[in-house]
Amino acid sequence: MTAIDSGIDTLAPVTGLAVTLTDGLLSVTIDRPDSLNSLTLPVLVGIADAMERAATDPRVKVVRLGGAGRGFSSGAGMSADDVASGPGTGLILAANRAVRAIAALHCPVVAVVQGPAAGVGVSLALACDLILASDNAFFMLAFTKIGLMPDGGASALVAAAIGRTRAMRMALLAERLPAADALACGLISAVYPADDFEAEVDKVVSGLLSGPAVAFAKTKDAINAATLGELEAALQRELEGQAVLLRSPDFSEGAKAFQERRTPNFTDS
């Protein structure tokens, strides 16, 4: 069996996810615009599958990860149906697998953030090598608003980018961080005006496609080794902590308050 035989072409279709390979560019697009691209278990598994297959497909030179419509991803689904069937540790494991696969890929992965990136959507974006944002975008670790903690490697990825103090504020206060502020503190790579965003992204992607693939791979490996040594331990700590929090009354209250669009009444339990 060749690498291509086990590559992108063998992926099964996933509802809510579009995957295409054209001229060396693998585009992975979360396609659930009605929910601002909230993440379901099948979508996260599909992202992980695509990234893992890309690692064995020599045709893939650059990966573009984005969302359809006006947002990147609002994070794990929090509708009544989503909460009834999850989120749970299965979803966290799938998110962890996707983050690992993105970080391990030999080729550059570009996050294209044209609007909100929240919750584990932030984790997916920050696992990428370049995070390009529209000036309409914002980043938000919204976990504590529903009685949870950051996951998907966010505790390591955010701190590696902006340091402990800023990461702690972002995680504890669950504030929106506009794209301009995210750029100023080093969380993301670039911000472009919304009207020019797609054209500017295309320029970056084109430059990567025509660049030195082996040098890119060695560079990515070296920088990740120097800065993300704690990622694996963070993924495990987050999984263990979230497993406890998902069973707590505070999460039940937080999820219910989110659905009812009110302030939660946490009881520290």
Side-chain angles (χ1 to χ4, degrees):
M1 179 180 291
T2 67
I4 291 177
D5 291 335
S6 61
I8 296 301
D9 296 339
T10 63
L11 283 172
V14 175
T15 300
L17 189 68
V19 180
T20 61
L21 175 60
T22 305
D23 297 330
L25 175 63
L26 177 67
S27 294
V28 180
T29 305
I30 307 162
D31 191 13
R32 307 185 73 232
D34 291 345
S35 64
L36 277 177
N37 301 315
S38 63
L39 294 161
T40 63
L41 179 58
V43 167
L44 282 168
V45 170
I47 292 171
D49 285 344
M51 298 298 173
E52 290 171 357
R53 298 292 177 86
T56 65
D57 194 324
R59 297 170 299 171
V60 178
K61 305 302 181 186
V62 177
V63 177
R64 170 182 169 142
L65 177 62
R70 59 189 182 88
F72 178 78
S73 174
S74 57
M78 287 302 298
S79 70
D81 289 342
D82 289 328
V83 173
S85 61
T89 54
L91 190 144
I92 299 168
L93 287 168
N96 289 357
R97 185 178 150 221
V99 165
R100 286 189 185 98
I102 293 168
L105 257 179
H106 60 282
C107 61
V109 185
V110 180
V112 180
V113 185
Q114 78 278 30
V120 74
V122 175
S123 303
L124 290 178
L126 294 188
C128 298
D129 306 306
L130 295 175
I131 305 99
L132 310 181
S134 158
D135 57 9
N136 290 332
F138 67 82
F139 299 79
M140 184 179 184
L141 293 179
F143 298 91
T144 58
K145 286 185 174 292
I146 56 170
L148 295 178
M149 64 180 288
D151 58 28
S155 59
L157 293 165
V158 176
I162 62 177
R164 176 183 178 274
T165 302
R166 288 190 180 100
M168 197 69 78
R169 173 169 182 152
M170 195 174 173
L172 292 180
L173 300 186
E175 298 171 330
R176 291 189 180 194
L177 188 66
D181 294 340
L183 178 65
C185 71
L187 188 72
I188 63 177
S189 308
V191 177
Y192 303 109
D195 290 345
D196 303 327
F197 185 54
E198 287 299 327
E200 294 294 340
V201 169
D202 288 345
K203 288 179 187 177
V204 173
V205 169
S206 294
L208 292 171
L209 284 168
S210 63
V214 176
F216 285 159
K218 296 294 186 183
T219 299
K220 175 172 176 171
D221 287 347
I223 291 176
N224 282 349
T227 59
L228 294 181
E230 279 296 304
L231 178 59
E232 192 58 42
L235 291 169
Q236 185 60 34
R237 283 192 295 267
E238 292 167 353
L239 176 64
E240 293 170 358
Q242 210 75 301
V244 173
L245 294 172
L246 285 165
R247 297 191 297 269
S248 71
D250 272 351
F251 170 65
S252 297
E253 166 60 12
K256 184 177 181 182
F258 179 88
Q259 294 155 15
E260 296 173 354
R261 299 181 181 275
R262 62 173 174 81
T263 301
N265 180 27
F266 292 130
T267 58
D268 299 326
S269 60

